[in-house]
Amino acid sequence: MFTDTHCHLYKEYYDDLDSIIYKIKKAQINRVINNGCDNLSNIEVLGNIKKYDFMYGAIGIHPDSADTYSESDLAYIKNHLNDDKVVAIGEIGLDYYWRKDNKDKQIELFEKQLSLAEEFDKPIIVHSRDATLDTIEILKKYKVRGVIHSFSGSYETACIYIKMGFLLGINGVITFKNCNLKDVIGKIDLSNIVLETDSPYLTPVPYRGQRNDSSHIFDIAKFICEIKNVSLDELSKETNANIKRCFDI
Ligand code: NI
């Protein structure tokens, strides 16, 4: 039994959500954490976690929306953090790959949500792209825990995040050719990782080019089992224990 700790299962990407959910459940994925990115998707996530029993929610504003979000979008998050099945604030963070010109705004948005995480004692799900140094410096200022989503950094960076108490979210990127993540995962303990798909993005090998969904957790899991020389059962036990520790589910 595996949990997809990071996916974006909403209408913008899936006009056939009910059939995708059926496919995921049939593939024996027992839980998914659906991550919002902006006000519209946050509203949808809250609706869907009521509809689908195996779905949990993370609500937050992605750095992509640093220029367009409003204070009422943040108030909406605050008002729903104690809702049933809302397990985290996410997806939040910094993205200097797409935008370097609005770093100040991205940092301001990130810090506002980190304050909320502190206030409500909620884990966070962090997006950090080409922004490792700033992400680490900012996270150090807050008493927060959570997942560094789509981790693909160096062993040294992995060690820093682990020491800070974060879990590393590993997805289909590990199956890509010439990816140094295999070596990093080889060196770190399974108590530090959780599995995710980032659906509909980052489809693992050999399904590149197709739309991703949470059932592909198994393709990622098998890959990691081979690197770590453990069974699927052991990997599922370890990662579910990490999820329990972090999200209390
Ligand atoms: Ni994502």
Side-chain angles (χ1 to χ4, degrees), residues 6 8 91 149 198:
H6 191 109
H8 303 280
E91 170 175 355
H149 141 68
D198 202 20

Side-chain angles (χ1 to χ4, degrees), residues 1-7 9 21 24-25 27-34 52-57 85 87 194-197 214-215 217-218 236-249:
M1 300 292 250
F2 282 100
T3 306
D4 183 356
T5 60
H6 191 109
C7 54
L9 292 171
I21 298 289
I24 295 169
K25 281 187 143 182
Q28 297 201 325
I29 304 301
N30 67 333
R31 293 178 306 194
V32 299
I33 300 177
N34 200 0
Y52 302 110
D53 57 346
F54 83 134
M55 186 183 287
Y56 294 81
K85 294 171 82 185
V87 295
V194 290
L195 307 186
E196 58 169 54
T197 59
S214 302
S215 65
I217 278 286
F218 274 97
S236 127
K237 266 190 199 129
E238 286 266 6
T239 50
N240 280 327
N242 302 340
I243 288 164
K244 170 80 184 151
R245 224 167 52 236
C246 181
F247 298 108
D248 197 25
I249 57 169

